[in-house]
Amino acid sequence: MLAPWLVGVYIANYNFSVTAAGLLMSLEFAALAVVSLVISPFMDRAPRRTLAISGALLVLVANTICTAVESWDAFVVARIVAGIGYGMTMTAGNAVAAGARHPARLYGHKLAMFALLSLTTMLVIPSLIENHSPKWLFGVMSMVNALLIYPLVRLPQYSAPRADTEAMPDIDRRSTWLTGVVAAAMFVSVLTFFTRETMVYVFSERIGVTLGLEREWIGVLFALSAVVGIAGPLLTVWLGDRFGELRLAVLVVVLSTWLTITLVLTADSKTYAILIVVWPLLNLGGFALLMGLAGILDPTGRLISACGGAVLGSYAISPVLFSYLFAPGRSDGIARFQFACALVTVISLFVIKRFTRDAGFSRTVNDVGL
C-alpha cells in the first residue's frame, strides 16, 4: 500500500532519479517474488509459522536500517533484505489461506482489513513526510511490522488441507499436463493483471503531483479510496457467488484497464481524484477473485503461493516498465501495453474455464461458478 509514497520519497526527498527510484522498487519486489516462487512448491509441507515469523523479523530489521541510511547503495541492500523477508512471510500467509473452506471469501475479508489499514496509513504518512522527515515513513513501517509479528504466532505450522484435496492425487495421475495448463494459466492471469495495475499504482502519487496536487491532498484521496476499497473484495465475492467468478473477473479486467489508461493520460486533477477513489473497488476486488480461484484450484497452497509470487513479481517488473514507457513522447505506449496485458489476462481466464473439467477439477470449480 505504501509503494507510491516510497517512490515519491526516493525522488523528492533523497533526490534519486525516476529510473533509480523505479529500479530500487523493482529490486525489492524482485527479491520478494524470487523468494516466493522458490519456496512455493514446498508450501504443502513447509513450517509456515516459523517461515512467517523469520521473514517478519528480517523485514523489521531492514525497515529500521532504512531510518538511518541515505545513500542509494545502502537502500539497495536494505530493501533487498526487506524483500526477502516479505517474500517468506507473505508466501506462508497465502498458503494458509488456501486451506480455508472458502478461500475467495477469506481473501475478501482479508483485503477489507487491508483497506482499513490503508485508511489510517494514508492519512498519517503524507503529513509525517512533509512536516517531519521521510525517515518517519520507514519508522512507521517498522512499528507496524513489530505489531503484526504477534498474530503470526497463531498461524498453523503445517497445512491441514480441505476435504476436497482428496481428488487432487487422482487428477495428477490422470491428466498431469492439463493440470499444468490450468496452473500456468492461473499464474499468467495473475501476473498480467497485476503488472498492468501496479505499473500505474507505484507512480500514482507522482502523477498527482505533476497535476498540481499536494501530497497531503493526495493522501486524503488515497484514504477515501481505502474506505471505498473495503467494499471492493466483499462486493466481488458476493457477486461472484451469484453470477460466477469468471464472468465477474473478465468484467473487472476490462473496467480496470480503462481506469488505469485514463489515469495515466488525464490532464485533469478532478478526473484523477475520482479515478483514485474508485480504483480499489476493481483492484482489491480483482485480487480477491483471482487469488480465491487459485486457492480453490489447489487447496494445498502451492498454486496460491506461486500466484502470490506473481503479484509481487508485478511490482518488480512494473516500475521499470513505467519509467520506460512514460518517457516523453511515449505515453501512448502505456495504453498499448495495458491493452495487451488485459487481453492476455482474459485469454488465460478462458483457458482455465476450458481445461478445468478436463483436468478433473469439476468438484472444486463448481464452487466458483466456472
Side-chain angles (χ1 to χ4, degrees), residues 32-318:
L32 210 164
V34 168
V35 169
S36 181
L37 293 173
V38 167
I39 65 178
S40 61
F42 309 102
M43 290 313 299
D44 56 337
R45 56 186 183 278
R48 298 172 179 185
R49 182 171 61 248
T50 300
L51 192 66
I53 294 174
S54 300
L57 291 174
L58 278 180
V59 172
L60 179 61
V61 170
N63 284 333
T64 302
I65 289 174
C66 286
T67 63
V69 301
E70 295 188 0
S71 70
W72 191 82
D73 291 341
F75 267 112
V76 167
V77 174
R79 299 324 301 168
I80 288 177
V81 171
I84 293 171
Y86 281 128
M88 294 166 63
T89 302
M90 295 181 71
T91 303
N94 283 331
V96 171
R101 184 178 298 277
H102 195 314
R105 185 175 299 148
L106 174 61
Y107 256 90
H109 294 163
K110 187 171 79 165
L111 290 171
M113 293 179 66
F114 172 86
L116 281 172
L117 182 58
S118 296
L119 169 61
T120 56
T121 302
M122 297 304 181
L123 289 174
V124 172
I125 290 298
S127 295
L128 284 177
I129 296 172
E130 291 296 322
N131 300 322
H132 298 282
S133 164
K135 297 183 185 299
W136 279 88
L137 172 63
F138 299 103
V140 170
M141 291 167 65
S142 297
M143 181 185 69
V144 174
N145 296 149
L147 291 174
L148 292 178
I149 288 178
Y150 175 72
L152 297 180
V153 176
R154 302 189 62 180
L155 287 180
Q157 183 74 310
Y158 294 99
S159 63
R162 303 192 311 268
D164 56 21
T165 58
E166 295 173 0
M168 296 300 288
D170 294 334
I171 293 170
D172 293 338
R173 285 195 296 269
R174 276 200 316 272
S175 48
T176 303
W177 77 273
L178 286 178
T179 304
V181 168
V182 171
M186 188 71 251
F187 181 88
V188 170
S189 67
V190 172
L191 179 63
T192 52
F193 180 87
F194 284 100
T195 296
R196 181 188 53 73
E197 291 275 295
T198 56
M199 73 178 297
V200 178
Y201 178 72
V202 295
F203 284 95
S204 57
E205 183 260 2
R206 289 290 93 188
I207 294 172
V209 170
T210 61
L211 294 177
L213 299 175
E214 297 181 354
R215 267 179 174 167
E216 288 88 347
W217 175 237
I218 296 173
V220 171
L221 291 177
F222 274 89
L224 289 173
S225 74
V227 175
V228 175
I230 295 171
L234 302 178
L235 184 62
T236 52
V237 169
W238 183 80
L239 291 173
D241 284 342
R242 285 151 182 80
F243 303 105
E245 264 81 350
L246 179 63
R247 297 185 188 92
L248 189 59
V250 171
L251 179 62
V252 167
V253 171
V254 172
L255 291 177
S256 61
T257 302
W258 169 83
L259 186 150
T260 50
I261 291 175
T262 306
L263 188 64
V264 170
L265 299 181
T266 187
D268 179 38
S269 59
K270 292 182 180 178
T271 301
Y272 169 87
I274 293 171
L275 294 177
I276 286 293
V277 169
V278 302
W279 194 358
L281 281 173
L282 301 171
N283 181 275
L284 297 183
F287 198 164
L289 283 170
L290 295 175
M291 296 298 281
L293 179 57
I296 289 170
L297 291 174
D298 180 14
T300 65
R302 293 168 298 178
L303 180 56
I304 200 172
S305 297
C307 288
V311 175
L312 305 171
S314 71
Y315 277 88
I317 298 168
S318 56

